[in-house]
């Protein structure tokens, strides 16, 4: 009895290809960043702005940010020591270059390893993705960091157009 290898190989290839496409579709394509799942991070960071997905910045950026919450983009975002440690640990563990590399690596492609970006809105990939946004749309959004103004699914991690 001969085994028909060619149809089996073709079937396995088709199955693997379909699984790859399905995974990408389920993850929201190339514009998905897993949202913050830690309740302390979501509460403390999300009380003033969208709790940004940790996979949008490298670990060194989150460490630097957590190390100076008293001067958080012009505001004092200080929290108690235990909360600061928990927030920093979570963000670093899920950063683009650590636990969140699968989703955030695309945002960091043009960022030199020596750089420590603090603003997602200044990342080369972010700038490229948003270059066509009109001045009127930015005015309506009131801030480049106000992702939910244009991306209705931002709080769930979806940033499709």
């Amino acid at each position: 009895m001969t085994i028909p290898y060619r149809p089996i190989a073709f079937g396995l290839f088709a199955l693997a290809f379909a699984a790859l496409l399905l995974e990408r579709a389920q993850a929201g394509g190339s514009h998905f960043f897993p949202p913050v799942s830690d309740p302390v991070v979501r509460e403390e960071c999300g009380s003033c702005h969208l709790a940004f997905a940790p996979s949008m910045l490298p670990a060194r950026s989150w460490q630097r940010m957590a190390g100076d919450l008293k001067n958080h983009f012009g505001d004092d975002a200080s929290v108690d020591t235990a909360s600061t440690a928990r927030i920093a640990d979570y963000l670093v563990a899920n950063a683009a270059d650590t636990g969140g590399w699968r989703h955030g690596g695309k945002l960091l492609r043009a960022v030199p390893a020596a750089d420590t970006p603090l603003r997602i809105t200044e990342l080369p990939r972010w700038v490229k993705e948003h270059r066509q946004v009109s001045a009127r749309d930015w005015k309506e959004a009131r801030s480049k960091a106000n992702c939910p103004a244009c991306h209705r699914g931002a709080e769930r991690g979806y940033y499709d157009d």
Side-chain angles (χ1 to χ4, degrees):
M1 176 179 187
T2 60
I3 299 173
Y5 291 107
R6 189 171 289 182
I8 291 172
F10 180 74
L12 289 174
F13 174 77
L15 187 62
F17 185 71
L20 179 68
L21 288 178
L22 181 61
E23 179 204 12
R24 188 169 173 86
Q26 286 178 328
S30 65
H31 294 93
F32 176 76
F33 297 88
V36 172
S37 60
D38 184 282
V40 172
V41 178
R42 197 170 41 245
E43 173 65 28
E44 293 297 343
C45 300
S47 65
C48 296
H49 57 74
L50 172 71
F52 295 105
S55 61
M56 291 182 151
L57 287 173
R60 62 190 178 274
S61 297
W62 293 120
Q63 289 167 331
R64 184 170 166 195
M65 222 176 290
D68 191 19
L69 290 176
K70 198 162 190 62
N71 299 304
H72 187 68
F73 302 103
D75 291 320
D76 183 354
S78 300
V79 293
D80 62 85
T81 307
S83 294
T84 300
R86 181 171 173 162
I87 291 167
D89 290 346
Y90 175 81
L91 294 173
V92 168
N94 294 284
D97 55 348
T98 55
W101 65 268
R102 179 173 164 257
H103 300 286
K106 60 187 154 265
L107 265 179
L108 297 183
R109 283 191 186 127
V111 176
D115 283 4
T116 305
L118 296 179
R119 293 181 187 271
I120 296 164
T121 58
E122 293 176 357
L123 297 174
R125 176 72 182 252
W126 189 97
V127 171
K128 180 181 176 188
E129 293 271 338
H130 294 83
R131 70 183 179 274
Q132 306 258 338
V133 177
S134 70
R136 185 177 142 261
D137 289 341
W138 284 128
K139 188 175 182 179
E140 285 180 22
R142 296 195 310 233
S143 167
K144 288 183 177 181
N146 184 13
C147 303
C150 299
H151 302 284
R152 303 280 184 245
E155 291 185 7
R156 294 184 324 264
Y158 295 99
Y159 293 84
D160 286 325
D161 295 341

